Amino acid sequence: MSLDERKTPRAWPAALHLVLFAAIIAMPLLLLLGAMFYRSAAQEHQRLERLIGQELDELTASIDRDIERRTAVLQTLATAPALASEDWDAFYLQAKASLGKNYLVLTDETGRQLVNTFVPHGTAPAFTDNLATIESMRQTMRPVVSDLFTGLAVKRPVYTISIPIVGDKGLRYVMSLGLWPEDLLALLQDQHLEAGWTTEIWDRKGVILAVSRGQERWLGKTVPDHWRTSALGRVVEERSLDGERMLAATGRPDLAGWTVRVSFPARLVDSQARELLWLWGAAAVLVTLLTAVTAYVFGVSFTRPLGATARAAAAVGRGDPVEVNDTRIVEVNAVNRALREAAQELETSRTALRYSEQLLGTAADVAQFGAHQYDAVRDRVHRSPQIRRILGVGPEEDRDLDSALDCVHPDDRKEVSARKRKILASEQQYQLTYRIRRPDGEVRWVMDRGQVDRDAAGRALRVIGVLVDITDLKAAEQRQRLLFDELNHRVKNTLAIVQSLAQHTQRSKPDPREFTRAFGERIMSLSRAHDLLTQTAWQGAPLHKIVNAVLEPFIVQVGRIAMEGPAVELPASITITLALMLNELATNAAKYGALSTDTGRVEISWTTTPTETQDGEALSVILIWQERDGPPVAPPRHRGFGSRLLAASAQQIKGDLDAQFATQGLRCRIRFPVPARVAEPRSC
Amino acid sequence: MTTRLVHRLPFPSQRAPVPSPRRDRAIGGDGEHRLDLAGLRVFVVEDEALVLLTLEDMLADLGCQVVVSVQQIEEAARLALDAAVDVALLDVNVGGTRIDPVARILATRGIPIVFVTGYEAPSLPPPPPGASDSVVRVAKPFQAAGLARGILQALGRAEQPP
């Protein structure tokens, strides 16, 4: 399975995780809050229902008490003697006095009115219109509270409380107390209910007797049917007479057939519930917001340091400097610390690597070697910048071996190619020396050394090697070879001179003892001339030093050899030759000339004058060898070796020689040119 | 080549004619060389006075006639053009100048050359075109016998048909 196919889990920002976390924590809290509010609302509802029930109970009790009280009044009147004696006039007066604004109607068992205190005595209607009461009473023989009706005499809605008066033969009279709906209204109002509460009383037919609000409007009207059918004592939600939604409960007094209703506006209940809901909602929103904000703030306080850490990690990866401050989160700080340490370690090792690379690069530059690597599997040659500098080529792509060998000098290419193939096939280490040709045509010598890496089966994997520019070395080798050749030539030449000296000395001095001495002198003279040259590294020598060196062994008495002339440097090529000439002259003088006597003197003087030769500016030196006070001089009879040597030597230094055998002594004039600047030592 | 061998010897007729190389090879020893080389006209270039004198003396001892004996390269080059000689003994380094131009002139004229030098063979002027493998060299210092052998060798080579 490759890396790409690996499933990566879906990821969210840390802040979202925290918000989720907070939501999970906050959810039960919100639910609890909601439950509390719900419970509180339910309790409020229950309290209200209980209150409605209480009010209903109290109202029915008040009605019952009122009926009881009035029944008691009637029963008191029933015991009046005037009734018993049927003295209706007296009874009328007594009743009227005791009842005040209410009135009393007394009928017999048939409904004939006997007394009616509402109207003046004697003007009462003949029959009562409240026959339903009489009929009911005849059956139950118990007090009866009537429905609302409009009395014949009264001509307005009234209700009555009637009691039976029983005689010997059953019901004898019915005594009714006429009562006004206002009395009931007063009773309702006496309950002192708070604003919003409404109470209604209606009779068996559903006709309204009293309403705590809007009595004038609703008196005598019939209540809606569903009011009459609703279960007693239970709180229900219904419309009021005005059409308002109410919570209402109905009840029935024990003593009347009426129905009592107590109601409370659902609007007020709802508004309470709404308030609670608002409160709960606000609390929920507040909790949610607080949670979300807190989660976000915490999230940010996490993600910001984490982001900085992530950036720092990326910086470590890139090798940039890591700048990450400590945060308030211990774990993040630990990661940051680890990152800083890692960055430091990386930097340290990178510095070390850079240093070592630099060192290697500098070493390669100084040593003028370059590295190359050959990937034998892919047939690719990689060459380092140093190697490309040696080869004189610019930056390049890796190339195959054949084209890489193009840089080899055409004369060497075939052999180098063959050698490389052989090395690849079977060798472990190699060293080749060959020429390369740069693109600009310059030819340089290189040494190519390397090593072949092989796999277990012996196949070449790669070749790592170095190329060293050995052109200078080769040139030095060449120079050295030339130098050796030159040295050999000079030694051989010197030996040839020695050989000649020996040969010619032998001719003039056949006696071995004399030969040894004369030959020794010549060798010593030659040696001293060489010494002079050695002192100046074969650059030449001053003329006076040459003269001194040659004549030194001939000085037997101070003052006999004089020397005079300006300072002049002679090149090496002239030095030896002139020394040999002076030696020849001195030898001749010691044998035949001025130095052969005790009084003879030799004066050596020279002058220089600037002149031009074909080689450029030069000094013309005229050296005069003058012998005085010696034995009489005569020209030699034949031209000896000395003369030939002097002549040939003069030729050698491109000069001329003039010897005069005057009587006072030999005078020899040697003229030769000296380059203005003493030249490099030249071969003799 | 053969024209060179038809010697117009300037010496009296008692001088033996220049021997043929075949005869030369059969001959050994110093004494016979003297006879063999007698009358040979030699062209000598050597800047070193002492060595030149020695060469002259040796050649005289061998019976040769030193026709040209010079120490300067310019003079040598001038004389090489038309000097009537049988063999040339040349120093390689003459006063700091190489002998090559002189050698070329002489080689063109078919005159056998012997280099008398301290230099090793690789430093010598290349053989003239058409000549066999290498030039003849007599190493300094030399003895009369070696010199004679060198001269004979040069003569023998020149005798070979090209």
Side-chain angles (χ1 to χ4, degrees):
Chain A
M1 191 178 194
S2 83
L3 208 70
D4 299 329
E5 289 166 21
R6 199 173 56 191
K7 272 189 185 169
T8 48
R10 218 168 140 199
W12 294 289
L16 192 64
H17 279 281
L18 277 171
V19 167
L20 213 69
F21 170 74
I24 289 167
I25 298 292
M27 198 56 75
L29 194 67
L30 284 174
L31 285 176
L32 188 67
L33 211 62
M36 269 169 61
F37 279 114
Y38 176 77
R39 203 174 132 82
S40 167
Q43 272 178 347
E44 185 62 21
H45 205 267
Q46 278 174 359
R47 190 185 66 82
L48 207 63
E49 281 188 358
R50 258 198 320 276
L51 202 60
I52 290 171
Q54 272 175 14
E55 292 296 337
L56 185 68
D57 287 348
E58 271 179 36
L59 189 59
T60 50
S62 295
I63 291 167
D64 279 338
R65 269 196 310 278
D66 187 64
I67 290 170
E68 262 172 14
R69 189 169 52 82
R70 294 185 193 277
T71 308
V73 169
L74 285 176
Q75 278 169 345
T76 308
L77 277 173
T79 59
L83 182 68
S85 62
E86 294 184 355
D87 181 358
W88 308 119
D89 297 338
F91 187 71
Y92 176 92
L93 290 172
Q94 188 186 354
K96 185 133 174 115
S98 62
L99 294 177
K101 68 179 177 77
N102 298 326
Y103 68 97
L104 185 135
V105 174
L106 184 73
T107 65
D108 63 11
E109 81 278 5
T110 62
R112 193 163 53 87
Q113 281 200 18
L114 300 173
V115 173
N116 188 337
T117 62
F118 188 75
V119 294
H121 186 57
T123 63
F127 278 91
T128 181
D129 51 358
N130 196 4
L131 287 173
T133 302
I134 294 171
E135 193 55 37
S136 159
M137 197 165 290
R138 197 172 279 148
Q139 290 166 10
T140 62
M141 296 300 273
R142 289 183 56 78
V144 171
V145 178
S146 76
D147 290 338
L148 191 69
F149 64 95
T150 304
L152 288 171
V154 186
K155 298 199 174 44
R156 47 184 279 212
V158 293
Y159 71 93
T160 62
I161 300 171
S162 308
I163 57 167
I165 298 172
V166 181
D168 298 337
K169 296 176 276 183
L171 181 67
R172 184 170 166 107
Y173 303 111
V174 173
M175 186 156 60
S176 303
L177 184 63
L179 291 162
W180 313 107
E182 291 79 33
D183 295 333
L184 278 176
L185 180 65
L187 191 138
L188 290 182
Q189 283 162 350
D190 279 350
Q191 295 298 315
H192 300 295
L193 287 170
E194 295 192 13
W197 287 84
T198 310
T199 49
E200 291 103 355
I201 305 173
W202 65 87
D203 63 16
R204 293 175 192 82
K205 296 194 197 81
V207 175
I208 290 168
L209 284 160
V211 181
S212 62
R213 283 188 301 170
Q215 172 78 357
E216 297 79 21
R217 190 176 157 201
W218 298 109
L219 182 65
K221 303 265 172 60
T222 308
V223 297
D225 283 344
H226 66 269
W227 282 28
R228 299 173 64 183
T229 56
S230 64
L232 297 177
R234 237 185 51 211
V235 178
V236 292
E237 196 180 303
E238 286 175 340
R239 296 271 164 190
S240 73
L241 293 169
D242 298 328
E244 192 181 4
R245 282 194 314 106
M246 306 294 271
L247 284 177
T250 50
R252 192 157 286 166
D254 292 338
L255 301 178
W258 301 339
T259 306
V260 178
R261 183 174 184 265
V262 175
S263 61
F264 186 79
R267 174 173 52 85
L268 293 181
V269 181
D270 286 350
S271 78
Q272 246 178 350
R274 228 178 352 260
E275 269 173 36
L276 277 173
L277 196 67
W278 270 112
L279 203 64
W280 178 81
V285 166
L286 196 70
V287 166
T288 307
L289 269 178
L290 201 68
T291 312
V293 167
T294 311
Y296 178 76
V297 167
F298 269 82
V300 166
S301 75
F302 271 96
T303 50
R304 199 168 287 165
L306 281 173
T309 302
R311 282 193 297 279
V316 170
R318 284 194 307 272
D320 291 347
V322 173
E323 281 175 22
V324 58
N325 297 322
D326 271 343
T327 66
R328 292 183 187 282
I329 304 166
V330 176
E331 287 80 0
V332 171
N333 286 351
V335 173
N336 287 350
R337 196 161 48 245
L339 278 177
R340 279 197 296 268
E341 284 167 7
Q344 206 163 3
E345 276 175 33
L346 270 176
E347 182 57 33
T348 309
S349 59
R350 210 174 277 140
T351 307
L353 189 64
R354 254 201 309 274
Y355 177 73
S356 121
E357 271 178 4
Q358 212 172 1
L359 193 67
L360 192 63
T362 310
D365 285 342
V366 170
Q368 288 194 304
F369 78 77
H372 58 86
Q373 182 174 324
Y374 174 58
D375 183 338
V377 180
R378 287 171 51 242
D379 187 25
R380 275 282 168 277
V381 175
H382 174 76
R383 305 199 275 214
S384 75
Q386 283 91 1
I387 224 170
R388 284 191 268 108
R389 206 171 307 146
I390 292 171
L391 298 177
V393 297
E396 59 175 14
E397 296 283 310
D398 289 356
R399 42 179 54 213
D400 59 34
L401 186 57
D402 276 337
S403 75
L405 288 176
D406 285 350
C407 63
V408 179
H409 193 280
D411 294 353
D412 295 354
R413 197 175 297 158
K414 202 174 160 190
E415 197 195 331
V416 169
S417 180
R419 280 286 293 132
K420 287 235 170 185
R421 303 277 170 211
K422 188 157 167 271
I423 288 158
L424 270 176
S426 59
E427 292 178 29
Q428 211 61 42
Q429 287 182 330
Y430 70 90
Q431 174 171 331
L432 300 176
T433 304
Y434 52 86
R435 287 167 292 173
I436 53 132
R437 197 167 64 178
R438 290 179 174 178
D440 60 9
E442 189 181 345
V443 174
R444 300 199 65 89
W445 278 93
V446 294
M447 185 167 72
D448 186 357
R449 307 176 72 161
Q451 182 169 318
V452 185
D453 286 351
R454 297 182 185 282
D455 64 9
R459 279 188 299 268
L461 292 176
R462 60 171 187 174
V463 184
I464 296 174
V466 292
L467 199 73
V468 186
D469 188 328
I470 55 165
T471 309
D472 295 346
L473 217 61
K474 276 273 176 187
E477 205 176 286
Q478 196 97 32
R479 273 199 302 278
Q480 201 170 34
R481 198 175 301 137
L482 281 173
L483 214 60
F484 278 133
D485 201 24
E486 186 64 27
L487 181 68
N488 186 48
H489 162 248
R490 288 190 183 201
V491 169
K492 295 289 180 65
N493 225 14
T494 307
L495 288 175
I497 291 171
V498 172
Q499 186 196 19
S500 296
L501 282 175
Q503 204 165 340
H504 294 296
T505 308
Q506 196 267 333
R507 285 191 182 193
S508 56
K509 310 277 190 227
D511 177 54
R513 213 173 289 168
E514 278 205 44
F515 167 79
T516 306
R517 187 189 55 79
F519 181 62
E521 274 173 11
R522 283 178 168 148
I523 293 292
M524 287 309 292
S525 177
L526 191 64
S527 170
R528 280 193 296 275
H530 272 107
D531 283 346
L532 282 176
L533 289 176
T534 308
Q535 284 168 17
T536 60
W538 279 75
Q539 292 294 311
L543 179 51
H544 70 272
K545 280 200 175 180
I546 299 168
V547 175
N548 246 341
V550 173
L551 296 183
E552 198 189 336
F554 297 95
I555 301 172
V556 287
Q557 207 176 328
V558 179
R560 291 184 62 190
I561 299 175
M563 179 174 71
E564 191 186 4
V568 57
E569 289 279 329
L570 301 191
S573 57
I574 296 178
T575 302
I576 302 288
T577 311
L578 191 69
L580 284 172
M581 291 170 83
L582 289 171
N583 185 68
E584 207 53 48
L585 286 168
T587 307
N588 186 65
K591 196 172 172 188
Y592 308 111
L595 296 180
S596 65
T597 65
D598 293 338
T599 55
R601 288 176 291 121
V602 176
E603 291 167 7
I604 301 145
S605 62
W606 64 89
T607 56
T608 62
T609 47
T611 179
E612 287 279 330
T613 67
Q614 57 186 14
D615 296 332
E617 279 185 34
L619 284 176
S620 178
V621 179
I622 296 172
L623 184 141
I624 293 168
W625 173 282
Q626 178 70 62
E627 295 183 21
R628 295 184 197 279
D629 306 335
V633 172
R637 277 187 297 278
H638 66 277
R639 203 167 175 239
F641 171 72
S643 305
R644 284 172 65 206
L645 177 63
L646 285 172
S649 295
Q651 275 278 310
Q652 188 180 343
I653 59 177
K654 296 177 183 171
D656 53 54
L657 181 87
D658 176 37
Q660 290 175 7
F661 299 91
T663 45
Q664 74 268 31
L666 173 70
R667 178 189 169 87
C668 188
R669 178 174 159 279
I670 306 166
R671 192 176 64 184
F672 59 92
V674 174
R677 251 185 85 249
V678 172
E680 287 288 299
R682 291 196 298 184
S683 161
C684 308
Chain B
M1 293 272 171
T2 44
T3 52
R4 190 193 58 76
L5 285 174
V6 179
H7 282 293
R8 303 158 296 276
L9 292 175
F11 288 91
S13 56
Q14 76 259 28
R15 295 279 184 192
V18 171
S20 82
R22 275 167 205 83
R23 254 183 67 207
D24 292 341
R25 264 185 217 131
I27 296 162
D30 242 14
E32 276 122 335
H33 279 308
R34 168 183 237 145
L35 281 173
D36 293 331
L37 297 176
L40 203 62
R41 295 167 301 172
V42 188
F43 186 104
V44 179
V45 182
E46 168 63 60
D47 62 339
E48 187 64 50
L50 262 170
V51 179
L52 181 66
L53 296 188
T54 307
L55 264 177
E56 284 175 356
D57 290 354
M58 276 187 186
L59 288 170
D61 289 349
L62 286 170
C64 299
Q65 185 191 2
V66 178
V67 178
V68 173
S69 168
V70 290
Q71 291 167 271
Q72 311 294 338
I73 192 91
E74 296 85 0
E75 200 183 354
R78 186 168 52 77
L79 293 170
L81 289 172
D82 53 4
V85 294
D86 302 313
V87 70
L89 300 187
L90 306 180
D91 184 14
V92 172
N93 188 329
V94 181
T97 312
R98 286 188 61 97
I99 195 71
D100 299 28
V102 179
R104 239 187 334 269
I105 295 168
L106 292 169
T108 313
R109 291 182 58 204
I111 294 167
I113 297 170
V114 177
F115 291 106
V116 182
T117 181
Y119 285 116
E120 295 298 326
S123 298
L124 298 183
S132 53
D133 49 358
S134 65
V135 297
V136 179
R137 171 177 170 269
V138 172
K140 285 184 187 174
F142 49 85
Q143 294 283 63
L147 192 64
R149 227 179 352 261
I151 293 169
L152 284 173
Q153 196 183 349
L155 288 172
R157 286 238 172 106
E159 200 71 7
Q160 308 278 325

